[in-house]
Amino acid sequence: MPSDFEAQLRAVSLRVTRPRLAVLAALRDHSHVDTDTVIALVRADQPTVSHQAVYDVLRALTDAGLVRRIQPAGAIARYESRVGDNHHHVVCRSCGAIADVDCAVGHAPCLTASDDHGFAVDEAEVVYWGTCPGCATERNSQ
Ligand SMILES: [Zn+2]
Ligand SMILES: [Zn+2]
Ligand SMILES: [Zn+2]
């Protein structure tokens, strides 16, 4: 599987480095994780990697389109490796849990704006806010 990540990096003209491979591996196994979590995951494998190195890797991978950065209002930035499909997120107001939501079923993808005002649209940011099942259960049992 490392060769898979190496190919991804080469495809966007990024040098193959161990921290970059480790971040890609971490995001393959964990979705919507914040920077601290990525650092912890990378360090489990490479204890000497600095915080700054992980920040730099996340920025480079995000800029190259291999990683997507999402930041729901009022929340810290999270990262995921599911890119290129303009999927949306549902966020729990209580605990901050995040799940993927595909574009609305039965409707044209919201990237097709009803009026784009001449802009070349490449992203539609839709966030569904609510209460996750875990928090709803907790609330009901109180
Ligand atoms: Zn919750
Ligand atoms: Zn997602
Ligand atoms: Zn949509």
Side-chain angles (χ1 to χ4, degrees), residues 32 68 70 80 82 87-89 100:
H32 315 127
R68 181 170 166 189
I70 58 165
E80 66 181 331
R82 183 179 166 186
H87 72 271
H88 309 308
H89 296 100
D100 285 339

Side-chain angles (χ1 to χ4, degrees), residues 23-131:
V23 168
L24 285 171
L27 292 177
R28 176 198 55 205
D29 298 336
H30 306 265
S31 286
H32 315 127
V33 284
D34 61 22
T35 308
D36 286 345
T37 304
V38 175
I39 290 170
L41 291 165
V42 169
R43 283 193 166 169
D45 181 44
Q46 299 172 31
T48 58
V49 172
S50 69
H51 283 224
Q52 191 58 47
V54 174
Y55 288 124
D56 291 347
V57 168
L58 284 170
R59 186 162 354 98
L61 295 179
T62 304
D63 288 349
L66 295 181
V67 166
R68 181 170 166 189
R69 179 183 193 274
I70 58 165
Q71 186 159 23
I76 54 173
R78 315 285 192 98
Y79 296 87
E80 66 181 331
S81 58
R82 183 179 166 186
V83 296
D85 63 356
N86 192 62
H87 72 271
H88 309 308
H89 296 100
V90 57
V91 184
C92 176
R93 287 187 197 282
S94 299
C95 71
I98 298 180
D100 285 339
V101 180
D102 289 336
C103 227
V105 178
H107 294 82
C110 44
L111 266 183
T112 310
S114 55
D115 179 357
D116 62 17
H117 298 275
F119 287 52
V121 176
D122 60 29
E123 182 177 347
E125 189 174 289
V126 177
V127 178
Y128 301 93
W129 292 92
T131 306

Side-chain angles (χ1 to χ4, degrees), residues 5-17 20 60-61 63-66:
F5 295 137
E6 286 177 27
Q8 281 188 37
L9 289 168
R10 292 211 176 88
V12 295
S13 307
L14 283 180
R15 222 155 33 84
V16 175
T17 65
R20 284 174 178 168
L61 295 179
D63 288 349
L66 295 181

